[in-house]
Amino acid sequence: METGEIPLETLPGGFDLQATVESGQTYVWSREDDRMFEDTLAHGGDAWYSTVVPEAVTGGAPAVVRARQHDGRLEWEAAVDAHDHLVRLLRLDDDLDAIMAATPEDPLLDAAFDRYRGMRLVRDPSFPCLVSFICSAQMRVSRIHGMQERLAREYGTPVEFDGATYHAFPTPEQLATATEVDLRDLSLGYRAPYVARTAEMVATGEAHPDTARSLDYEDAREFLTQFVGVGEKVADCVALFSLDFLEAVPLDTWIRTAIADHYPDCEGGNYAETSRAIRERFGGDYAGYAQTYVFFHLRTGGET
DNA sequence: CTCGGCCCTGTCCA
DNA sequence: ATGGACAGGGCCG
């Protein structure tokens, strides 16, 4: 096992591991203490979290990475040198101070940024991100998380680490072997055929979410909606949480409520129009950061 | 392009 | 105990 630590005090804008991985933007991390991801962060912030870096990223075997925030450092244990993986997955390369400075002054944004100072966006591997947000339709955080764990256990490559067995998220090829009925048995409900079809599309080479990286933001969102089960909202989630489009603002029910209550002039006739207006209001290039803070602030009972 | 009906399922609450 | 509302949408006509 390799170990290491990343000092956090010099990191611009700081870091909050628990808020980052439990805020509903990523479903590839789990708590080592097996506590569920709840709707609020009730359980203290120095727990160990783990993820399995997929083979598509390592270029070799999937690699278990474990990390916890403790005493001003991000400590890690892994099968490989995990430093670069952690920087990439947890966006430790973002200058959070600069991002907040580039975001307009606004009572709601200020309150949201204050409440979870140090929370960062994530940079998930694209296929797991795509599948988990297809599963997110009309679903709570803890249940989405449960679905992803069942998919990994059932179809993912088992990986031994530190005396325990972990499971990588299934590759497109592995997941494409699942039938709609198989996935309904894992409680995916009406999302089962969407996941099966999308896995098949990626496995056969019909389309890959990474292709959207080379497009302009709005074209990328449009490109991503070709996957079955992916509308504009889910496409925005994949663009923001995996493909580095930090300007993407997923219009979920929480943000729609915030728009109605705080920015009614941003309500356009359709998704694209509203999205453009609120993106502008949130400062443009890093509007997705503002969205994620506001979303989490409101979802966890923040005053409006 | 917009609209409404419909979809699985666990949890919460009357 | 038990039924209806609800939860971070998308598909189809």
Side-chain angles (χ1 to χ4, degrees), chain A residues 190-239:
Chain A
Y190 63 82
R191 307 153 195 82
Y194 302 163
V195 169
R197 273 291 296 136
T198 289
E200 196 180 320
M201 289 173 74
V202 180
T204 60
E206 184 178 339
H208 197 292
D210 283 338
T211 305
R213 282 183 178 281
S214 62
L215 305 175
D216 289 338
Y217 161 58
E218 291 192 347
D219 292 336
R221 187 178 66 200
E222 175 65 23
F223 175 88
L224 291 168
T225 61
Q226 76 182 285
F227 295 102
V228 182
V230 178
E232 289 168 303
K233 186 270 177 185
V234 169
D236 263 334
C237 289
V238 176

Side-chain angles (χ1 to χ4, degrees), chain A residues 9-247:
Chain A
E9 56 268 19
T10 56
L11 203 61
F15 184 53
D16 183 336
L17 178 62
Q18 185 183 21
T20 299
V21 301
E22 295 199 36
S23 51
Q25 38 163 338
T26 176
Y27 297 92
V28 305
W29 291 86
S30 298
R31 290 176 65 124
E32 290 284 282
D33 59 16
D34 279 334
R35 280 183 186 277
M36 297 287 285
F37 285 17
E38 303 294 345
D39 287 345
T40 55
L41 305 184
H43 304 123
D46 60 352
W48 283 95
Y49 295 86
S50 65
T51 189
V52 183
V53 182
E55 48 262 68
V57 176
T58 63
V64 175
V65 172
R66 215 149 57 186
R68 75 162 172 173
Q69 182 166 6
H70 183 66
D71 207 14
R73 301 185 299 271
L74 185 65
E75 303 175 346
W76 59 262
E77 306 172 343
V80 297
D81 185 343
H83 178 276
D84 292 352
H85 289 311
L86 287 167
V87 169
R88 187 184 58 258
L89 291 170
L90 302 172
R91 299 201 72 103
L92 301 180
D93 48 346
D94 281 340
D95 184 339
L96 209 42
D97 281 333
I99 288 168
M100 288 189 288
T103 304
E105 288 289 318
D106 169 299
L108 180 61
L109 292 179
D110 290 348
F113 274 115
D114 268 354
R115 183 127 171 256
Y116 292 111
R117 192 159 292 282
M119 180 171 74
R120 287 166 185 268
L121 288 177
V122 294
R123 193 184 277 118
D124 275 359
S126 61
F127 183 67
C129 182
L130 179 64
V131 171
S132 54
F133 281 95
I134 290 173
C135 292
S136 76
Q138 295 293 107
M139 207 47 60
R140 292 163 198 244
V141 168
S142 60
R143 291 197 54 208
I144 302 165
H145 206 261
M147 291 181 192
Q148 307 316 301
E149 286 185 341
R150 289 192 291 278
L151 288 175
R153 199 160 25 239
E154 205 65 33
Y155 297 99
T157 303
V159 187
E160 299 297 325
F161 177 70
D162 195 25
T165 303
Y166 294 76
H167 290 269
F169 191 83
T171 63
E173 293 74 19
Q174 288 171 327
L175 196 51
T177 65
T179 65
E180 174 183 339
V181 173
D182 294 335
L183 297 180
R184 281 182 186 272
D185 287 344
L186 298 181
S187 301
L188 267 64
Y190 63 82
R191 307 153 195 82
Y194 302 163
V195 169
R197 273 291 296 136
T198 289
E200 196 180 320
M201 289 173 74
V202 180
T204 60
E206 184 178 339
H208 197 292
D210 283 338
T211 305
R213 282 183 178 281
S214 62
L215 305 175
D216 289 338
Y217 161 58
E218 291 192 347
D219 292 336
R221 187 178 66 200
E222 175 65 23
F223 175 88
L224 291 168
T225 61
Q226 76 182 285
F227 295 102
V228 182
V230 178
E232 289 168 303
K233 186 270 177 185
V234 169
D236 263 334
C237 289
V238 176
L240 180 60
F241 303 135
S242 177
L243 302 179
D244 290 306
F245 290 98
L246 297 186
E247 68 268 54

